[in-house]
Amino acid sequence: MYRAHCHVIRYRLKELVADREFREGRRVTLEEVASVTGIHRTTLSKIANKRGYNTTTENLDRLCKFFECRLEQLVEYVPDG
């Protein structure tokens, strides 16, 4: 039987920012990501920091384009236990 809140979707936004910083040898801020993607900085902060935050597929699409990554590199399913 399905139980509510039996899993968490984890966003790897912080890891992708760190990877990009390393590759490009410069600091990448959420302000820059917001400016390029059109996603509000507050929303990006929630995606990065709020456990179980629910965002739109449009935001996921924009982030995948920005980081040039596949969805599974941005989003991780974490089962309970």
Coordinates of all heavy atoms in Angstrom, one line a residue:
M1 N 0.8 -1.2 0.0 CA 0.0 0.0 0.0 C 0.9 1.2 0.0 O 1.9 1.3 0.7 CB -0.9 0.0 1.2 CG -1.8 1.2 1.4 SD -2.8 1.1 2.8 CE -4.3 1.7 2.1
Y2 N 0.5 2.2 -0.7 CA 1.2 3.5 -0.8 C 1.0 4.3 0.4 O -0.1 4.5 0.9 CB 0.7 4.3 -2.0 CG 1.4 5.7 -2.1 CD1 2.7 5.8 -2.7 CD2 0.8 6.8 -1.7 CE1 3.3 7.0 -2.8 CE2 1.4 8.0 -1.8 CZ 2.6 8.1 -2.3 OH 3.2 9.3 -2.4
R3 N 2.1 4.8 0.9 CA 2.1 5.7 2.1 C 2.6 7.1 1.7 O 3.6 7.2 1.0 CB 3.1 5.2 3.2 CG 2.7 4.0 3.9 CD 3.7 3.7 5.0 NE 4.9 4.4 4.8 CZ 6.1 4.0 5.4 NH1 6.1 3.0 6.2 NH2 7.2 4.7 5.1
A4 N 1.9 8.1 2.1 CA 2.3 9.5 1.8 C 3.7 9.7 2.5 O 3.9 9.3 3.6 CB 1.3 10.5 2.3
H5 N 4.5 10.5 1.8 CA 5.8 10.9 2.3 C 6.7 9.7 2.6 O 7.5 9.7 3.6 CB 5.7 11.7 3.6 CG 4.8 12.9 3.4 ND1 5.2 14.0 2.6 CD2 3.6 13.3 3.8 CE1 4.3 14.9 2.5 NE2 3.3 14.5 3.3
C6 N 6.6 8.6 1.8 CA 7.5 7.5 2.0 C 8.8 7.6 1.2 O 9.6 6.7 1.2 CB 6.8 6.2 1.6 SG 6.3 6.1 -0.1
H7 N 9.0 8.7 0.5 CA 10.2 8.9 -0.2 C 10.5 10.5 -0.3 O 9.7 11.3 0.1 CB 10.1 8.4 -1.6 CG 9.0 9.0 -2.4 ND1 7.6 8.7 -2.3 CD2 9.0 10.0 -3.3 CE1 6.9 9.4 -3.1 NE2 7.7 10.3 -3.7
V8 N 11.7 10.7 -0.8 CA 12.0 12.1 -1.0 C 12.7 12.3 -2.4 O 13.5 11.4 -2.8 CB 13.0 12.6 0.1 CG1 13.6 14.0 -0.2 CG2 12.4 12.6 1.5
I9 N 12.3 13.3 -3.1 CA 13.0 13.7 -4.3 C 14.1 14.7 -3.9 O 13.8 15.7 -3.3 CB 12.1 14.3 -5.3 CG1 10.9 13.3 -5.7 CG2 12.8 14.8 -6.5 CD1 11.4 12.1 -6.4
R10 N 15.3 14.4 -4.2 CA 16.4 15.2 -3.8 C 17.0 15.9 -5.1 O 17.3 15.2 -6.1 CB 17.6 14.4 -3.1 CG 18.7 15.3 -2.6 CD 19.7 14.5 -1.8 NE 20.6 13.8 -2.7 CZ 21.8 14.3 -3.1 NH1 22.1 15.6 -2.8 NH2 22.6 13.6 -3.9
Y11 N 17.2 17.2 -5.0 CA 17.7 17.9 -6.1 C 19.2 18.1 -5.9 O 19.7 18.4 -4.8 CB 17.1 19.3 -6.3 CG 15.6 19.2 -6.5 CD1 14.7 19.4 -5.5 CD2 15.1 18.8 -7.8 CE1 13.3 19.3 -5.7 CE2 13.7 18.7 -8.0 CZ 12.9 18.9 -6.9 OH 11.5 18.8 -7.2
R12 N 20.0 17.9 -6.9 CA 21.5 18.0 -6.9 C 22.0 19.3 -7.4 O 23.0 19.4 -7.9 CB 22.1 16.8 -7.7 CG 21.6 15.4 -7.1 CD 22.3 14.3 -7.8 NE 23.8 14.3 -7.4 CZ 24.8 14.6 -8.3 NH1 24.5 14.9 -9.5 NH2 26.0 14.6 -7.8
L13 N 21.2 20.4 -7.1 CA 21.6 21.7 -7.6 C 22.9 22.1 -7.1 O 23.8 22.6 -7.8 CB 20.5 22.7 -7.2 CG 20.7 24.1 -7.7 CD1 20.8 24.2 -9.2 CD2 19.5 25.0 -7.3
K14 N 23.1 22.0 -5.8 CA 24.4 22.4 -5.2 C 25.6 21.7 -5.8 O 26.6 22.3 -6.1 CB 24.4 22.2 -3.7 CG 23.5 23.1 -2.9 CD 23.6 22.8 -1.4 CE 22.6 23.6 -0.6 NZ 22.7 23.2 0.8
E15 N 25.4 20.4 -6.1 CA 26.5 19.6 -6.7 C 26.8 20.1 -8.1 O 27.9 20.2 -8.5 CB 26.2 18.1 -6.7 CG 26.1 17.5 -5.3 CD 24.7 17.5 -4.7 OE1 23.9 18.4 -5.0 OE2 24.5 16.6 -3.9
L16 N 25.7 20.4 -8.8 CA 25.9 20.8 -10.2 C 26.6 22.2 -10.3 O 27.4 22.4 -11.1 CB 24.6 20.8 -11.0 CG 24.0 19.5 -11.3 CD1 22.6 19.6 -11.8 CD2 24.9 18.7 -12.3
V17 N 26.2 23.1 -9.3 CA 26.9 24.4 -9.3 C 28.4 24.2 -9.0 O 29.2 24.8 -9.6 CB 26.2 25.3 -8.2 CG1 27.1 26.5 -7.9 CG2 24.8 25.7 -8.7
A18 N 28.7 23.3 -8.0 CA 30.1 23.0 -7.6 C 30.9 22.4 -8.8 O 32.0 22.8 -9.1 CB 30.2 22.1 -6.4
D19 N 30.2 21.5 -9.5 CA 30.9 20.9 -10.7 C 31.2 22.0 -11.8 O 32.3 22.0 -12.3 CB 30.0 19.8 -11.3 CG 29.9 18.6 -10.5 OD1 30.7 18.4 -9.5 OD2 29.0 17.8 -10.7
R20 N 30.2 22.8 -12.0 CA 30.4 23.9 -13.0 C 31.5 24.9 -12.6 O 32.3 25.3 -13.4 CB 29.1 24.6 -13.3 CG 29.2 25.6 -14.4 CD 27.8 26.0 -14.9 NE 28.0 26.8 -16.1 CZ 27.0 26.9 -17.0 NH1 25.9 26.2 -16.9 NH2 27.2 27.7 -18.0
E21 N 31.5 25.2 -11.3 CA 32.6 26.1 -10.8 C 33.9 25.5 -11.0 O 34.9 26.2 -11.4 CB 32.4 26.4 -9.3 CG 31.2 27.3 -9.0 CD 31.0 27.5 -7.5 OE1 31.4 26.7 -6.7 OE2 30.4 28.6 -7.1
F22 N 34.1 24.2 -10.7 CA 35.3 23.5 -10.9 C 35.8 23.5 -12.4 O 36.9 23.8 -12.7 CB 35.3 22.1 -10.3 CG 36.5 21.3 -10.5 CD1 37.6 21.5 -9.6 CD2 36.7 20.4 -11.5 CE1 38.8 20.8 -9.7 CE2 37.9 19.7 -11.6 CZ 38.9 19.9 -10.8
R23 N 34.8 23.1 -13.2 CA 35.1 23.1 -14.7 C 35.5 24.4 -15.3 O 36.4 24.5 -16.1 CB 33.9 22.5 -15.4 CG 33.7 21.1 -15.5 CD 32.7 20.6 -16.5 NE 31.7 21.5 -16.8 CZ 30.5 21.5 -16.3 NH1 30.2 20.7 -15.3 NH2 29.6 22.4 -16.6
E24 N 34.8 25.5 -14.8 CA 35.1 26.8 -15.4 C 36.1 27.6 -14.6 O 36.4 28.7 -15.1 CB 33.7 27.5 -15.5 CG 32.8 26.9 -16.5 CD 31.5 27.6 -16.7 OE1 31.3 28.7 -16.1 OE2 30.6 27.1 -17.4
G25 N 36.5 27.2 -13.4 CA 37.4 27.9 -12.6 C 37.0 29.2 -12.1 O 37.7 30.2 -12.1
R26 N 35.7 29.3 -11.8 CA 35.1 30.6 -11.4 C 33.9 30.3 -10.5 O 33.4 29.2 -10.5 CB 34.7 31.4 -12.5 CG 33.5 30.9 -13.3 CD 33.1 31.8 -14.5 NE 31.9 31.2 -15.2 CZ 30.7 31.5 -14.8 NH1 30.4 32.3 -13.7 NH2 29.6 31.0 -15.4
R27 N 33.5 31.3 -9.7 CA 32.3 31.2 -8.9 C 31.0 31.3 -9.7 O 30.9 32.1 -10.6 CB 32.4 32.3 -7.8 CG 31.3 32.2 -6.8 CD 31.6 33.1 -5.6 NE 30.4 33.5 -4.8 CZ 29.8 32.7 -4.0 NH1 30.2 31.4 -3.9 NH2 28.7 33.1 -3.3
V28 N 30.1 30.4 -9.4 CA 28.8 30.4 -10.0 C 27.7 30.6 -8.9 O 27.7 29.8 -8.0 CB 28.5 29.1 -10.8 CG1 27.1 29.1 -11.3 CG2 29.5 28.8 -11.9
T29 N 27.0 31.7 -9.0 CA 26.0 32.1 -8.0 C 24.6 31.7 -8.4 O 24.3 31.5 -9.6 CB 26.1 33.6 -7.7 OG1 25.6 34.3 -8.8 CG2 27.5 34.1 -7.3
L30 N 23.7 31.6 -7.4 CA 22.3 31.4 -7.7 C 21.8 32.5 -8.4 O 20.8 32.4 -9.2 CB 21.5 31.1 -6.4 CG 21.8 29.7 -5.8 CD1 20.8 29.5 -4.6 CD2 21.6 28.5 -6.8
E31 N 22.3 33.7 -8.2 CA 21.9 34.9 -8.9 C 22.1 34.7 -10.4 O 21.3 35.1 -11.3 CB 22.5 36.2 -8.4 CG 22.0 36.7 -7.1 CD 22.6 35.9 -5.9 OE1 23.6 35.1 -6.1 OE2 22.1 36.1 -4.8
E32 N 23.3 34.2 -10.8 CA 23.6 34.0 -12.2 C 22.7 32.9 -12.8 O 22.2 33.1 -13.9 CB 25.1 33.5 -12.3 CG 25.4 33.1 -13.7 CD 26.8 32.5 -13.9 OE1 27.6 32.6 -12.9 OE2 27.1 31.9 -14.9
V33 N 22.5 31.8 -12.0 CA 21.6 30.8 -12.5 C 20.2 31.3 -12.7 O 19.5 31.1 -13.7 CB 21.5 29.6 -11.5 CG1 20.6 28.5 -12.0 CG2 22.9 29.0 -11.3
A34 N 19.7 32.2 -11.8 CA 18.4 32.8 -11.9 C 18.3 33.7 -13.1 O 17.4 33.7 -13.9 CB 18.1 33.6 -10.6
S35 N 19.4 34.5 -13.3 CA 19.4 35.4 -14.5 C 19.3 34.7 -15.8 O 18.6 35.1 -16.7 CB 20.7 36.3 -14.4 OG 20.8 37.1 -15.5
V36 N 20.1 33.6 -15.9 CA 20.1 32.9 -17.2 C 18.9 32.0 -17.4 O 18.4 31.9 -18.5 CB 21.4 32.0 -17.2 CG1 21.4 31.1 -18.5 CG2 22.7 32.8 -17.2
T37 N 18.4 31.4 -16.3 CA 17.3 30.5 -16.5 C 15.9 31.1 -16.4 O 14.9 30.5 -16.8 CB 17.3 29.4 -15.4 OG1 17.2 30.0 -14.1 CG2 18.6 28.5 -15.5
G38 N 15.8 32.3 -15.8 CA 14.5 32.9 -15.5 C 13.8 32.4 -14.3 O 12.6 32.7 -14.1
I39 N 14.5 31.5 -13.5 CA 13.9 31.0 -12.3 C 14.2 31.9 -11.2 O 15.4 32.3 -11.0 CB 14.4 29.6 -12.0 CG1 14.2 28.6 -13.2 CG2 13.8 29.0 -10.7 CD1 14.9 27.3 -13.1
H40 N 13.2 32.3 -10.4 CA 13.5 33.3 -9.3 C 14.5 32.7 -8.3 O 14.6 31.5 -8.0 CB 12.2 33.5 -8.6 CG 12.2 34.7 -7.7 ND1 12.8 34.7 -6.5 CD2 11.8 36.0 -7.9 CE1 12.7 35.9 -5.9 NE2 12.1 36.7 -6.8
R41 N 15.3 33.6 -7.8 CA 16.4 33.2 -6.9 C 15.9 32.5 -5.7 O 16.5 31.5 -5.2 CB 17.2 34.4 -6.5 CG 18.3 33.9 -5.5 CD 19.3 34.4 -5.1 NE 20.2 34.0 -4.1 CZ 20.1 33.1 -3.2 NH1 19.1 32.4 -3.0 NH2 21.1 32.9 -2.4
T42 N 14.7 32.9 -5.1 CA 14.1 32.3 -4.0 C 13.7 30.8 -4.3 O 13.9 29.9 -3.5 CB 12.9 33.1 -3.5 OG1 13.2 34.4 -3.2 CG2 12.2 32.4 -2.3
T43 N 13.2 30.6 -5.5 CA 12.8 29.3 -5.9 C 14.1 28.4 -6.0 O 14.1 27.2 -5.6 CB 12.1 29.3 -7.3 OG1 10.9 30.1 -7.1 CG2 11.7 27.9 -7.8
L44 N 15.2 28.9 -6.6 CA 16.4 28.2 -6.7 C 16.9 27.8 -5.3 O 17.4 26.7 -5.0 CB 17.5 28.9 -7.4 CG 17.2 29.1 -8.9 CD1 18.2 30.1 -9.5 CD2 17.3 27.8 -9.6
S45 N 16.8 28.7 -4.3 CA 17.3 28.5 -3.0 C 16.4 27.3 -2.3 O 17.0 26.5 -1.7 CB 17.1 29.7 -2.1 OG 17.6 29.5 -0.8
K46 N 15.1 27.3 -2.6 CA 14.3 26.3 -2.1 C 14.6 24.9 -2.7 O 14.7 23.9 -2.0 CB 12.8 26.6 -2.3 CG 12.3 27.7 -1.4 CD 10.9 28.1 -1.7 CE 10.4 29.2 -0.9 NZ 9.0 29.6 -1.2
I47 N 14.9 24.9 -4.0 CA 15.3 23.7 -4.7 C 16.6 23.2 -4.1 O 16.7 22.0 -3.8 CB 15.4 23.9 -6.2 CG1 14.1 24.2 -6.9 CG2 16.1 22.8 -6.9 CD1 14.1 24.7 -8.3
A48 N 17.5 24.1 -3.8 CA 18.8 23.7 -3.3 C 18.8 23.2 -1.8 O 19.5 22.3 -1.4 CB 19.8 24.8 -3.5
N49 N 17.9 23.8 -1.0 CA 18.0 23.7 0.4 C 16.8 23.1 1.1 O 16.9 22.6 2.2 CB 18.3 25.0 1.1 CG 19.6 25.6 0.6 OD1 20.6 25.0 0.7 ND2 19.5 26.8 0.0
K50 N 15.6 23.1 0.5 CA 14.4 22.6 1.2 C 14.1 21.2 0.9 O 13.8 20.8 -0.2 CB 13.2 23.5 0.9 CG 12.0 23.2 1.7 CD 10.9 24.2 1.4 CE 9.6 23.8 2.1 NZ 8.5 24.6 1.7
R51 N 14.2 20.3 1.9 CA 14.0 18.9 1.7 C 12.6 18.6 1.2 O 11.6 19.1 1.7 CB 14.2 18.2 3.0 CG 14.1 16.7 3.0 CD 14.4 16.1 4.3 NE 14.1 14.7 4.4 CZ 14.9 13.7 4.1 NH1 16.1 14.0 3.7 NH2 14.6 12.5 4.1
G52 N 12.5 17.9 0.1 CA 11.2 17.5 -0.5 C 10.5 18.6 -1.2 O 9.3 18.5 -1.5
Y53 N 11.2 19.7 -1.6 CA 10.6 20.8 -2.3 C 10.0 20.3 -3.6 O 10.6 19.5 -4.3 CB 11.6 22.0 -2.5 CG 11.0 23.2 -3.2 CD1 10.1 24.0 -2.5 CD2 11.2 23.4 -4.5 CE1 9.5 25.1 -3.1 CE2 10.7 24.5 -5.1 CZ 9.8 25.3 -4.4 OH 9.2 26.4 -5.1
N54 N 8.8 20.9 -3.9 CA 8.1 20.5 -5.2 C 8.2 21.6 -6.2 O 7.8 22.7 -5.9 CB 6.7 20.2 -4.9 CG 6.0 19.6 -6.1 OD1 6.6 19.1 -7.0 ND2 4.7 19.6 -6.0
T55 N 8.9 21.4 -7.3 CA 9.0 22.4 -8.3 C 8.4 21.9 -9.6 O 7.9 20.8 -9.7 CB 10.5 22.8 -8.5 OG1 10.6 24.0 -9.3 CG2 11.3 21.7 -9.2
T56 N 8.4 22.8 -10.6 CA 7.7 22.5 -11.9 C 8.7 21.8 -12.9 O 9.9 21.9 -12.8 CB 7.2 23.8 -12.6 OG1 8.3 24.6 -13.0 CG2 6.3 24.5 -11.6
T57 N 8.1 21.1 -13.8 CA 8.9 20.5 -14.9 C 9.6 21.5 -15.7 O 10.6 21.3 -16.2 CB 8.1 19.5 -15.7 OG1 6.9 20.2 -16.2 CG2 7.6 18.3 -15.0
E58 N 8.9 22.7 -15.9 CA 9.5 23.8 -16.6 C 10.8 24.2 -16.0 O 11.9 24.4 -16.6 CB 8.6 25.0 -16.7 CG 9.2 26.1 -17.5 CD 8.2 27.3 -17.7 OE1 7.0 27.2 -17.3 OE2 8.7 28.3 -18.2
N59 N 10.8 24.3 -14.6 CA 12.1 24.7 -13.9 C 13.1 23.6 -14.1 O 14.3 23.9 -14.3 CB 11.8 24.9 -12.4 CG 11.1 26.2 -12.2 OD1 11.1 27.1 -13.0 ND2 10.5 26.3 -11.0
L60 N 12.7 22.4 -14.0 CA 13.7 21.3 -14.2 C 14.3 21.3 -15.6 O 15.5 21.1 -15.8 CB 13.0 19.9 -14.0 CG 12.5 19.7 -12.6 CD1 11.7 18.3 -12.5 CD2 13.6 19.8 -11.5
D61 N 13.5 21.6 -16.6 CA 13.9 21.7 -18.0 C 14.9 22.8 -18.1 O 16.0 22.7 -18.7 CB 12.7 22.0 -18.9 CG 13.1 22.1 -20.4 OD1 13.7 21.1 -20.9 OD2 12.8 23.1 -21.0
R62 N 14.6 24.0 -17.5 CA 15.5 25.1 -17.6 C 16.9 24.8 -16.9 O 17.9 25.2 -17.4 CB 14.9 26.4 -17.0 CG 13.7 26.9 -17.7 CD 13.1 28.0 -17.0 NE 11.9 28.6 -17.7 CZ 11.3 29.7 -17.4 NH1 11.6 30.3 -16.3 NH2 10.3 30.1 -18.1
L63 N 16.8 24.2 -15.8 CA 18.1 23.8 -15.1 C 18.9 22.8 -15.9 O 20.1 22.9 -15.9 CB 17.8 23.3 -13.7 CG 17.3 24.3 -12.7 CD1 16.7 23.7 -11.4 CD2 18.4 25.4 -12.4
C64 N 18.2 21.8 -16.5 CA 19.0 20.9 -17.3 C 19.7 21.6 -18.5 O 20.8 21.2 -18.8 CB 18.0 19.8 -17.8 SG 17.6 18.5 -16.5
K65 N 19.0 22.5 -19.1 CA 19.6 23.3 -20.2 C 20.8 24.1 -19.7 O 21.8 24.1 -20.3 CB 18.6 24.2 -20.8 CG 17.6 23.5 -21.7 CD 16.6 24.4 -22.3 CE 15.5 23.6 -23.0 NZ 14.4 24.5 -23.5
F66 N 20.6 24.8 -18.5 CA 21.7 25.6 -18.0 C 22.9 24.7 -17.7 O 24.1 25.1 -18.0 CB 21.3 26.3 -16.7 CG 22.3 27.1 -16.1 CD1 22.6 28.4 -16.6 CD2 23.1 26.7 -15.0 CE1 23.6 29.2 -16.0 CE2 24.1 27.4 -14.4 CZ 24.3 28.7 -14.9
F67 N 22.7 23.6 -17.0 CA 23.9 22.7 -16.6 C 24.3 21.7 -17.7 O 25.2 21.0 -17.5 CB 23.5 22.0 -15.3 CG 23.5 22.9 -14.1 CD1 22.3 23.3 -13.5 CD2 24.6 23.5 -13.6 CE1 22.2 24.1 -12.4 CE2 24.6 24.3 -12.5 CZ 23.4 24.6 -11.9
E68 N 23.5 21.7 -18.8 CA 23.8 20.8 -19.9 C 23.9 19.4 -19.3 O 24.8 18.6 -19.5 CB 25.1 21.1 -20.6 CG 25.0 22.5 -21.3 CD 26.3 22.9 -21.9 OE1 27.4 22.3 -21.6 OE2 26.3 23.9 -22.7
C69 N 22.8 19.0 -18.6 CA 22.8 17.7 -18.0 C 21.5 17.0 -18.2 O 20.5 17.6 -18.7 CB 23.0 17.8 -16.5 SG 21.6 18.6 -15.6
R70 N 21.4 15.7 -17.9 CA 20.2 14.9 -18.0 C 19.4 15.1 -16.7 O 20.0 15.4 -15.7 CB 20.5 13.4 -18.2 CG 21.2 13.1 -19.6 CD 21.5 11.7 -19.8 NE 21.9 10.9 -18.6 CZ 23.1 10.8 -18.2 NH1 24.1 11.3 -18.8 NH2 23.4 10.1 -17.1
L71 N 18.1 14.8 -16.8 CA 17.3 15.0 -15.6 C 17.8 14.2 -14.4 O 17.8 14.6 -13.3 CB 15.8 14.6 -15.9 CG 14.8 14.8 -14.8 CD1 14.7 16.2 -14.4 CD2 13.4 14.3 -15.3
E72 N 18.2 13.0 -14.7 CA 18.7 12.1 -13.6 C 20.0 12.6 -12.9 O 20.4 12.1 -11.9 CB 18.8 10.6 -14.0 CG 19.8 10.4 -15.2 CD 19.1 10.5 -16.5 OE1 18.1 11.1 -16.7 OE2 19.7 9.8 -17.5
Q73 N 20.7 13.5 -13.6 CA 21.8 14.2 -13.0 C 21.4 15.3 -12.0 O 22.2 15.7 -11.2 CB 22.8 14.7 -14.0 CG 23.4 13.6 -14.8 CD 24.2 14.2 -16.0 OE1 23.6 14.7 -17.0 NE2 25.5 14.0 -15.9
L74 N 20.2 15.8 -12.2 CA 19.7 16.9 -11.4 C 18.8 16.4 -10.3 O 18.8 17.0 -9.2 CB 18.9 17.9 -12.3 CG 18.1 19.0 -11.6 CD1 19.1 19.9 -10.9 CD2 17.3 19.8 -12.7
V75 N 18.0 15.3 -10.5 CA 17.0 14.9 -9.6 C 17.4 13.4 -9.2 O 17.7 12.6 -10.0 CB 15.6 14.9 -10.2 CG1 14.6 14.4 -9.3 CG2 15.3 16.3 -10.7
E76 N 17.2 13.2 -7.9 CA 17.5 11.8 -7.4 C 16.3 11.4 -6.5 O 15.8 12.1 -5.6 CB 18.8 11.8 -6.5 CG 19.1 10.5 -5.9 CD 20.3 10.5 -5.0 OE1 20.8 11.7 -4.7 OE2 20.8 9.5 -4.6
Y77 N 15.8 10.2 -6.7 CA 14.8 9.6 -5.9 C 15.5 8.9 -4.7 O 16.3 8.0 -4.9 CB 14.0 8.6 -6.7 CG 13.0 7.7 -5.9 CD1 11.8 8.3 -5.4 CD2 13.3 6.4 -5.5 CE1 11.0 7.5 -4.7 CE2 12.5 5.7 -4.8 CZ 11.3 6.2 -4.3 OH 10.4 5.5 -3.6
V78 N 15.1 9.2 -3.5 CA 15.6 8.6 -2.3 C 14.5 7.9 -1.5 O 13.6 8.5 -0.9 CB 16.3 9.7 -1.4 CG1 16.9 9.1 -0.2 CG2 17.3 10.5 -2.1
P79 N 14.5 6.6 -1.6 CA 13.4 5.8 -0.9 C 13.6 5.9 0.6 O 14.7 6.1 1.1 CB 13.6 4.4 -1.4 CG 15.0 4.3 -1.9 CD 15.4 5.7 -2.3
D80 N 12.5 5.7 1.3 CA 12.6 5.7 2.8 C 13.4 4.5 3.2 O 13.3 3.4 2.7 CB 11.1 5.5 3.3 CG 10.8 6.6 4.3 OD1 11.6 7.5 4.5 OD2 9.7 6.5 4.9
G81 N 14.1 4.7 4.3 CA 14.9 3.6 4.9 C 16.1 3.2 4.1 O 16.8 2.3 4.3

